[in-house]
Amino acid sequence: MRTYHCFWLLFWAGQPHQSFLTPLSKRTSSFPEKEKVLVLSGNSRQDLHRSKRSWMWNQFFLLEEYTGTDYQYVGKLHSDQDKGDGSLKYILSGDGAGDLFIINENTGDIQATKRLDREEKPVYILRAQAINRRTGRPVEPESEFIIKIHDINDNEPMFTKDVYNASIPEMSDVGTFVVQVTATDADDPTYGNSAKVVYSILQGQPYFSVESETGIIKTALLNMDRENREQYQVVIQAKDMGGQMGGLSGTTTVNITLTDVNDNPPRFPQSTYQFRAPESTPLDSPVGRIKANDADVDENAEIEYSITEGDGYDMFGITTDKDTQEGIITVKKTLDFESKNLYILKVEATNTHVDPRFLYLGPFKDSATVRIQVEDVDEPPMFSRPAYIMEVKEDVPLNSVIGTVTAQDPDAAKNPVKYSVDRHTDMDRVFNINSGNGSIFTSKPLDREALLWHNITVIAAEINNPKQSSRVPVFIKVLDVNDNAPEFAMFYETFVCENAKAEQLIQTLSAVDKDDSYNGHQFSFSLAPEAASSSNFTLQDNRDNTAGIFTRKTRYNRHETSTYFLPVVISDNDYPIQSSTETVTIRVCACDHRGKMLSCNAEALVHPTGLSTGALIAILLCIIILLVTVVLFAALRRQRKKEPLIISKEDIRDNIVSYNDEGGGEEDTQAFDIGTLRNPEAIDDNKLRRDIVPETLFLPRRTATARDNTDVRDFINQRLKENDTDPTAPPYDSLATYAYEGNGSVAESLSSLESVTTDGDQDYDYLSDWGPRFKKLADMYGSMDSDKDS
């Protein structure tokens, strides 16, 4: 048997006193319209029941921003299985269930607990279910429904920017686009006019306008001039509800800047400019500045200046200062008051960037007249040349005039000029000058071979005003005369073999001449008259500025004559002819059959391949000196003794006091008993120790009383008294040693030397009781005892 059940959802939405309910038979587009078939299980496990249920879906709205004090009622959940006996329990799940939305599990009433904001979440999807309280099983299939938040106009339009910045060229046409502003409304654009925004202009008329629907701002006034006003502030309002009364609104500010265009030509503030320039103005130096005013800015105000005409067209130039847009007039040629003292120029200023749209306003250029007055200055004398070059022969007599310099005063006064030589350029005073006419003459002999060029400076100064002076360089070239005789190019010292043959060449000679020859030197060689007939050698002139020395006889004997001196006469061909006699030294040497020298009296001609005897002796001496130095250094190191740490007893740097009293050792029975040092009776209770702070003074550790010994007590007390009363004694933290050795310690000696005499009496059996670590030692000493016993 099949059973049919119905599960109804009843919703009420709206204000507390008003509900909106769509009839169940009406379908909406937001929900499906088909039936749902659900399979339900009955009470019997063997019987399966299939039930078919029909659900009616509707879309309901709940007002946002509810301001009531009670919970907002949403609707009711009910199942036809509910008999009213409380056996069923209603459960709600999904978005906000249990928090935003609660359900009465007995009645199925659903309520909203908080204010809902559609802009935060517009739709909530919930699921409803009815279960049996006793069994916990659902009696109906779970169903899903939607609650949509109904919008109210609670959000004002918001602009995307708080401040907009825009710019347009000045002189723009009416209707020129400036910028578009945009405002958004968070309300629902599909419900009513809450999100419909309309734009209007609150501030900025009559210069600008705004389109109500698009927010586009345009120009509304013709010929807005930047030079009159550059900045505009426009306030735009955006209002929802289509701009109707009661709508919410928001505003934004638009800063609009007019950019510059070249609509203003340059203009000179005055038609004539007057400048003065001294005639001594250096080239390219500025004379004056002029400026044409332009109301435009940046590149539209850039001006280019030029000189179009005038009698000083080629004397002056003009450039533009890019920073100040001024015209700088400069000097192109040297000014001379005596030649011309007034120049009149016509200067033109032109815009470099011209906008053709504004040519109707007139030419974008202007001109002005510039008058430049040249002022006279006291100028120094001017030389007729920038530099002078003079020539003089080296054999000219003293006080000979070699040239003249000329300078004149360029001023109208034509002041007389005085000449002098700058002695910094002529330290040896080789030249002098006539102060009146500028003639230069020699004051010392000249020598071309010593100095070819003399570079001096001549000063010309006005006699009336010596500060007005000028300088000119004078280059003096010393011309050569034949005043030097030729001479050998080098010192000639040669040899001849004892077995030499006649007519054998033994040396070739060459010569040099300090003089200069325009056609080249031509030297002639010959033997001196006194040696021409009696010499054992002959000389042959090669006619190429060289000569050869030949043997005249066969065989020479070095034992008879070991050295020959051959005088040679050398002459040149210049005027006057100069000649000199040079000597060639010829030594006789023994040679082999090939003519190679073996030995001769002249050691200077011997060229051994090894070191000379003097060099070998010097090296040997250096080696001997080095060895002696090493031996002495080693001996000194062996004899060096280590210095003691304490040089003087009075030196307290190490804080040690030494008393060199030595006892007789352990076996000295007559020595002092050092045990007195530990005798508490020897302590003076009324005297404070200096080696510790008084606050920290503790009583000494008491030991067993030793036998009285007056000798050591007196010794100790004497030393303590000396240290206590001595102002030069060490500080309290120093160590004072009393080097006195008694007859032994009360603790007796621990030395193993004495233990040798008592080995027989010593019992080492106790070592076995000390543990395994002493086992080996016990075995060793135990075995020794057994050996003795045996």
Side-chain angles (χ1 to χ4, degrees):
M1 179 178 179
R2 297 181 178 178
T3 304
Y4 297 93
H5 304 282
C6 294
F7 185 33
W8 300 92
L9 290 173
L10 302 178
F11 296 95
W12 286 267
Q15 301 296 334
H17 303 290
Q18 182 180 4
S19 64
F20 300 91
L21 179 63
T22 305
L24 295 177
S25 61
K26 185 178 180 180
R27 303 293 196 274
T28 64
S29 59
S30 301
F31 299 88
E33 299 182 11
K34 64 179 180 179
E35 294 181 344
K36 293 184 180 292
V37 180
L38 303 176
V39 179
L40 301 176
S41 60
N43 296 329
S44 176
R45 295 183 179 180
Q46 292 80 13
D47 298 333
L48 295 177
H49 299 279
R50 179 179 181 183
S51 60
K52 182 177 181 182
R53 294 289 180 264
S54 299
W55 295 92
M56 306 299 292
W57 294 92
N58 293 282
Q59 180 168 296
F60 294 92
F61 296 93
L62 188 64
L63 288 177
E64 68 170 336
E65 303 295 343
Y66 172 69
T67 58
T69 57
D70 298 332
Y71 289 165
Q72 189 176 187
Y73 187 74
V74 178
K76 186 178 183 65
L77 179 66
H78 184 73
S79 172
D80 59 354
Q81 297 290 324
D82 191 357
K83 304 301 184 180
D85 55 358
S87 61
L88 295 183
K89 178 181 178 180
Y90 296 98
I91 299 175
L92 190 66
S93 62
D95 294 341
D99 182 17
L100 292 178
F101 302 101
I102 59 175
I103 186 170
N104 190 317
E105 61 181 15
N106 296 322
T107 64
D109 292 329
I110 302 174
Q111 292 178 310
T113 62
K114 298 179 181 179
R115 294 174 57 184
L116 302 178
D117 188 0
R118 188 202 68 83
E119 288 72 35
E120 181 178 348
K121 187 174 179 64
V123 175
Y124 295 87
I125 300 176
L126 299 169
R127 292 182 297 279
Q129 194 174 32
I131 63 174
N132 189 290
R133 288 181 180 271
R134 184 176 60 83
T135 62
R137 295 181 178 179
V139 299
E140 297 288 352
E142 187 180 60
S143 62
E144 186 177 85
F145 61 95
I146 296 176
I147 299 177
K148 188 173 182 181
I149 308 303
H150 184 72
D151 182 51
I152 64 174
N153 189 19
D154 60 342
N155 292 278
E156 69 275 4
M158 300 290 294
F159 284 93
T160 57
K161 295 181 181 179
D162 294 335
V163 177
Y164 289 82
N165 294 301
S167 61
I168 57 169
E170 62 174 330
M171 310 299 289
S172 297
D173 297 333
V174 175
T176 301
F177 174 84
V178 178
V179 70
Q180 183 177 11
V181 296
T182 303
T184 58
D185 197 316
D187 294 324
D188 189 0
T190 63
Y191 180 78
N193 295 326
S194 297
K196 186 177 181 180
V197 178
V198 175
Y199 300 94
S200 61
I201 185 168
L202 299 182
Q203 176 182 321
Q205 296 175 331
Y207 307 103
F208 301 95
S209 62
V210 63
E211 293 184 356
S212 60
E213 295 182 358
T214 62
I216 296 176
I217 301 175
K218 298 180 179 181
T219 58
L221 189 64
L222 186 65
N223 296 333
M224 287 190 291
D225 192 1
R226 184 199 66 84
E227 286 72 34
N228 293 332
R229 183 177 178 182
E230 184 177 5
Q231 299 287 341
Y232 294 87
Q233 191 176 73
V234 178
V235 179
I236 302 297
Q237 182 189 63
K239 190 173 184 180
D240 59 11
M241 299 297 292
Q244 298 178 3
M245 185 71 69
L248 302 178
S249 63
T251 61
T252 187
T253 301
V254 183
N255 295 323
I256 302 175
T257 303
L258 297 184
T259 59
D260 185 59
V261 297
N262 193 7
D263 58 341
N264 294 280
R267 291 289 181 263
F268 282 107
Q270 58 193 68
S271 59
T272 303
Y273 292 86
Q274 193 89 12
F275 298 106
R276 293 179 175 273
E279 61 176 337
S280 59
T281 303
L283 297 181
D284 297 326
S285 298
V287 173
R289 290 173 174 254
I290 60 175
K291 187 177 190 315
N293 298 325
D294 194 325
D296 298 320
V297 294
D298 299 332
E299 67 175 15
N300 297 320
E302 292 181 1
I303 301 174
E304 191 174 280
Y305 297 91
S306 60
I307 299 176
T308 56
E309 59 183 61
D311 51 5
Y313 180 82
D314 59 341
M315 296 293 296
F316 300 92
I318 189 169
T319 58
T320 302
D321 188 333
K322 298 300 182 181
D323 296 329
T324 62
Q325 296 300 317
E326 292 178 314
I328 305 174
I329 301 174
T330 58
V331 178
K332 291 174 59 178
K333 292 185 179 181
T334 304
L335 302 178
D336 187 5
F337 173 81
E338 289 72 26
S339 301
K340 188 174 180 62
N341 56 18
L342 178 63
Y343 295 91
I344 300 176
L345 310 175
K346 185 178 182 181
V347 178
E348 188 174 79
T350 307
N351 274 141
T352 56
H353 300 85
V354 179
D355 194 336
R357 296 177 300 169
F358 304 103
L359 290 177
Y360 68 90
L361 297 177
F364 281 77
K365 60 183 179 180
D366 195 14
S367 59
T369 301
V370 178
R371 297 170 59 89
I372 301 176
Q373 182 73 44
V374 180
E375 297 179 341
D376 185 27
V377 295
D378 188 5
E379 299 175 273
M382 294 183 60
F383 285 94
S384 59
R385 300 178 190 176
Y388 292 86
I389 299 178
M390 301 179 183
E391 295 180 348
V392 59
K393 289 186 177 183
E394 61 177 327
D395 61 346
V396 295
L398 296 181
N399 298 323
S400 299
V401 176
I402 60 175
T404 303
V405 297
T406 304
Q408 292 183 353
D409 184 9
D411 299 326
K414 300 296 180 184
N415 293 319
V417 177
K418 178 182 179 181
Y419 301 94
S420 62
V421 176
D422 186 355
R423 291 305 173 189
H424 291 90
T425 61
D426 186 22
M427 301 292 290
D428 296 332
R429 297 181 176 270
V430 180
F431 302 95
N432 212 331
I433 190 171
N434 189 309
S435 61
N437 57 21
S439 60
I440 301 174
F441 55 91
T442 60
S443 58
K444 286 186 178 181
L446 303 176
D447 186 3
R448 187 201 68 87
E449 288 70 35
L451 186 59
L452 177 61
W453 284 92
H454 293 266
N455 303 326
I456 66 174
T457 299
V458 175
I459 303 173
E462 294 182 7
I463 295 178
N464 298 333
N465 188 7
K467 293 183 179 180
Q468 293 294 336
S469 62
S470 58
R471 297 167 175 263
V472 68
V474 179
F475 306 101
I476 303 173
K477 182 179 181 182
V478 181
L479 301 179
D480 183 49
V481 294
N482 192 22
D483 57 348
N484 290 280
E487 55 188 15
F488 281 150
M490 59 180 291
F491 175 73
Y492 289 103
E493 184 175 16
T494 185
F495 71 94
V496 62
C497 294
E498 288 182 308
N499 56 357
K501 298 179 181 180
E503 302 298 326
Q504 182 179 341
L505 177 65
I506 62 173
Q507 182 66 50
T508 301
L509 307 176
S510 62
V512 294
D513 194 337
K514 295 180 181 179
D515 293 324
D516 191 11
S517 177
Y518 296 101
N519 299 322
H521 291 292
Q522 294 181 7
F523 302 121
S524 59
F525 300 86
S526 63
L527 292 176
E530 63 273 12
S533 59
S534 60
S535 176
N536 293 311
F537 302 91
T538 60
L539 180 69
Q540 180 180 336
D541 192 347
N542 298 326
R543 303 298 180 183
D544 60 355
N545 292 338
T546 63
I549 298 176
F550 295 86
T551 58
R552 176 174 286 184
K553 64 179 183 176
T554 300
R555 299 192 64 83
Y556 293 85
N557 190 343
R558 59 174 173 160
H559 300 289
E560 295 179 359
T561 305
S562 62
T563 304
Y564 294 92
F565 298 98
L566 187 64
V568 178
V569 178
I570 311 172
S571 303
D572 57 20
N573 63 343
D574 292 333
Y575 180 82
I577 296 176
Q578 300 288 341
S579 62
S580 64
T581 301
E582 302 288 331
T583 301
V584 179
T585 302
I586 304 173
R587 298 184 182 275
V588 181
C589 301
C591 303
D592 58 12
H593 65 281
R594 292 177 296 180
K596 184 178 181 182
M597 179 181 62
L598 297 178
S599 63
C600 58
N601 294 333
E603 278 74 19
L605 297 178
V606 179
H607 302 282
T609 57
L611 294 174
S612 64
T613 303
L616 291 175
I617 293 174
I619 293 174
L620 184 59
L621 287 175
C622 291
I623 295 174
I624 293 173
I625 293 172
L626 181 61
L627 290 175
V628 171
T629 304
V630 172
V631 171
L632 290 176
F633 179 78
L636 289 175
R637 291 200 60 179
R638 291 176 182 176
Q639 295 178 1
R640 179 184 296 177
K641 293 182 179 180
K642 186 176 181 181
E643 294 182 356
L645 294 177
I646 302 178
I647 299 175
S648 174
K649 293 181 180 181
E650 300 299 325
D651 191 348
I652 64 171
R653 289 175 296 175
D654 293 328
N655 298 328
I656 294 177
V657 178
S658 176
Y659 303 96
N660 292 324
D661 296 333
E662 185 174 355
E666 294 180 351
E667 300 301 325
D668 186 4
T669 57
Q670 302 300 323
F672 296 135
D673 186 3
I674 202 68
T676 308
L677 292 174
R678 300 180 181 86
N679 187 3
E681 297 177 357
I683 300 177
D684 189 357
D685 294 336
N686 296 327
K687 180 183 289 186
L688 295 178
R689 294 174 56 187
R690 295 191 301 159
D691 57 344
I692 58 174
V693 181
E695 290 84 348
T696 60
L697 183 63
F698 297 97
L699 291 177
R701 179 181 176 183
R702 298 184 177 272
T703 58
T705 305
R707 61 186 180 88
D708 190 13
N709 192 322
T710 58
D711 293 336
V712 71
R713 182 169 61 246
D714 294 341
F715 170 76
I716 296 300
N717 290 334
Q718 181 181 356
R719 291 292 186 268
L720 288 174
K721 184 176 181 180
E722 291 176 357
N723 280 276
D724 291 338
T725 59
D726 186 5
T728 62
Y732 64 86
D733 59 349
S734 302
L735 175 65
T737 61
Y738 304 93
Y740 182 86
E741 184 174 351
N743 60 355
S745 171
V746 295
E748 298 184 351
S749 174
L750 299 180
S751 172
S752 60
L753 297 177
E754 291 187 16
S755 64
V756 177
T757 60
T758 60
D759 272 348
D761 301 330
Q762 183 68 35
D763 185 9
Y764 295 100
D765 293 338
Y766 62 86
L767 294 175
S768 301
D769 300 333
W770 285 9
R773 295 187 179 182
F774 296 87
K775 186 176 184 304
K776 184 66 176 176
L777 189 61
D779 295 340
M780 292 174 58
Y781 281 88
S783 61
M784 292 173 59
D785 294 338
S786 9
D787 293 338
K788 289 181 181 181
D789 296 336
S790 59

